[in-house]
Amino acid sequence: MRDIKQAFQIAKQNFTGWRKNPRIYMTFILAAILCLMLSNQIIAQAIKYETILQVFEPFIWTYGDATHVMLSSLLLVLLFADMPFVNQATPYWLIRTKRSVWLAGQMIYVVFTAVIYNLFMLVILGIMGAPFSYVGNVWSKTAAMLGYAGGESITVPVSIKTMEISTPYRCMFIVFALMLFYTLFVAVLMLFLNLTFGNMAGVVGAFALNLYGLLLHPSIFQKLFHFTGNRAYKANVLCGWLSPLNHATFPMHNFGYDYLPKLIVSFGIFLGLIIILILLSAVRMKKYNFSFMQMDE
């Protein structure tokens, strides 16, 4: 119990530094701007045709595309670039407790930060669509219009498959969970790389991971290799399995009539990778050389 209490105290101490950290304010300001940019089209359509939205639809459709998930996750680099968060209090904690407890505190901080960040995105997108929204658990006419008759000028990733197999509230919880697991995966990967290869390795790794996922987007993959017909379908399935970004995208899953990964499989893959990276980070932490030459004022 003492170790658990100390781990949460370490996480709390990290949060107290938010008030004096301009990088935190910049991250959430950029996140709000990103929400405005990505949701602008669906809200504009609701205004243009005088139709209403379900309150969670801006969030669901905004993050129904792997590219949008990638853009959102990249902002987390600002929050987690300096992992493992060495500051003035670190020497004090390393004397009072074990390295494993200190690392556990960092992980608790990462989990709560990821939850806060994704909740912030959910709330901001809900506020943006609030004047034209309702809270009922049914899809809106705006979504149906965009899904069935969007046309080439509409780039909102409204998925007919999503509307056919789910309800707005259930879909919102799943999309939120997928984003949360993906952002946690990116964060623990950055932690492991920073512990192993030094500062900035995590930033490079996060960008490389997202670039890899972007290149494995089905549309890009098909354009590069000019696949059509059955080959295009196989390429789409392959991208769904091999791309972490596609695992974090709700429409890119198997709902009973294709060979894409099921939701439970994607959650299991993310959870397994997160646990493995945490264990590897714990091993690296035993030999990690702390440097207190540059400390926060």
Side-chain angles (χ1 to χ4, degrees):
M1 289 299 297
R2 181 174 178 270
D3 289 346
I4 295 175
K5 182 179 179 180
Q6 287 183 331
F8 276 93
Q9 288 175 337
I10 292 169
K12 180 181 178 181
Q13 190 274 327
N14 285 345
F15 278 111
T16 59
W18 279 28
R19 291 174 296 179
K20 299 180 180 180
N21 192 341
R23 189 173 69 249
I24 302 297
Y25 297 104
M26 181 60 67
T27 299
F28 285 98
I29 291 172
L30 291 175
I33 295 173
L34 181 64
C35 288
L36 177 63
M37 294 173 59
L38 297 181
S39 65
N40 177 66
Q41 196 173 72
I42 187 171
I43 294 176
Q45 290 296 311
I47 296 174
K48 179 179 179 180
Y49 294 101
E50 297 183 351
T51 54
I52 56 177
L53 294 164
Q54 205 282 335
V55 67
F56 293 121
E57 281 182 353
F59 176 78
I60 293 170
W61 304 132
T62 296
Y63 296 108
D65 181 79
T67 304
H68 295 174
V69 175
M70 179 199 69
L71 292 173
S72 177
S73 67
L74 285 177
L75 289 180
L76 282 178
V77 172
L78 293 174
L79 292 177
F80 299 141
D82 58 342
M83 286 192 292
F85 310 116
V86 177
N87 52 43
Q88 289 182 339
T90 302
Y92 167 79
W93 284 113
L94 291 176
I95 293 174
R96 290 196 61 191
T97 189
K98 297 175 288 187
R99 288 191 174 203
S100 59
V101 175
W102 184 81
L103 179 63
Q106 308 307 315
M107 292 311 307
I108 293 172
Y109 168 75
V110 167
V111 171
F112 276 96
T113 301
V115 171
I116 292 171
Y117 176 79
N118 286 293
L119 280 175
F120 176 82
M121 305 289 273
L122 174 63
V123 171
I124 290 296
L125 286 166
I127 291 174
M128 288 179 177
F132 324 100
S133 300
Y134 62 92
V135 297
N137 194 24
V138 292
W139 299 108
S140 69
K141 292 182 179 179
T142 305
M145 177 186 64
L146 291 171
Y148 287 101
E152 294 183 358
S153 62
I154 303 298
T155 59
V156 178
V158 177
S159 170
I160 301 302
K161 181 170 68 173
T162 297
M163 291 190 287
E164 289 176 346
I165 56 87
S166 183
T167 59
Y169 280 87
R170 178 177 179 272
C171 189
M172 180 274 294
F173 282 114
I174 295 175
V175 171
F176 182 86
L178 287 171
M179 286 190 60
L180 178 60
F181 271 71
Y182 181 72
T183 52
L184 287 175
F185 169 60
V186 174
V188 295
L189 176 64
M190 291 177 64
L191 174 62
F192 171 70
L193 292 176
N194 279 355
L195 291 174
T196 304
F197 302 106
N199 293 336
M200 298 307 296
V203 174
V204 174
F207 277 99
L209 174 68
N210 283 287
L211 178 61
Y212 165 76
L214 180 63
L215 292 176
L216 279 182
H217 192 282
S219 61
I220 296 178
F221 200 74
Q222 291 174 21
K223 289 179 181 179
L224 287 175
F225 296 98
H226 306 288
F227 289 151
T228 58
N230 189 48
R231 287 187 177 181
Y233 171 74
K234 291 181 178 179
N236 184 71
V237 173
L238 184 65
C239 291
W241 279 97
L242 296 180
S243 170
L245 273 173
N246 287 329
H247 279 288
T249 307
F250 184 79
M252 288 296 294
H253 287 89
N254 179 356
F255 299 103
Y257 46 85
D258 54 33
Y259 295 98
L260 289 168
K262 294 183 178 181
L263 285 167
I264 189 65
V265 173
S266 292
F267 284 123
I269 290 174
F270 278 132
L271 183 60
L273 290 173
I274 290 169
I275 292 174
I276 291 172
L277 287 170
I278 290 175
L279 294 176
L280 291 175
S281 297
V283 173
R284 294 300 307 173
M285 178 58 64
K286 295 178 180 179
K287 299 180 180 179
Y288 182 72
N289 293 320
F290 286 90
S291 175
F292 303 107
M293 297 299 294
Q294 297 179 351
M295 298 173 62
D296 298 333
E297 294 182 359

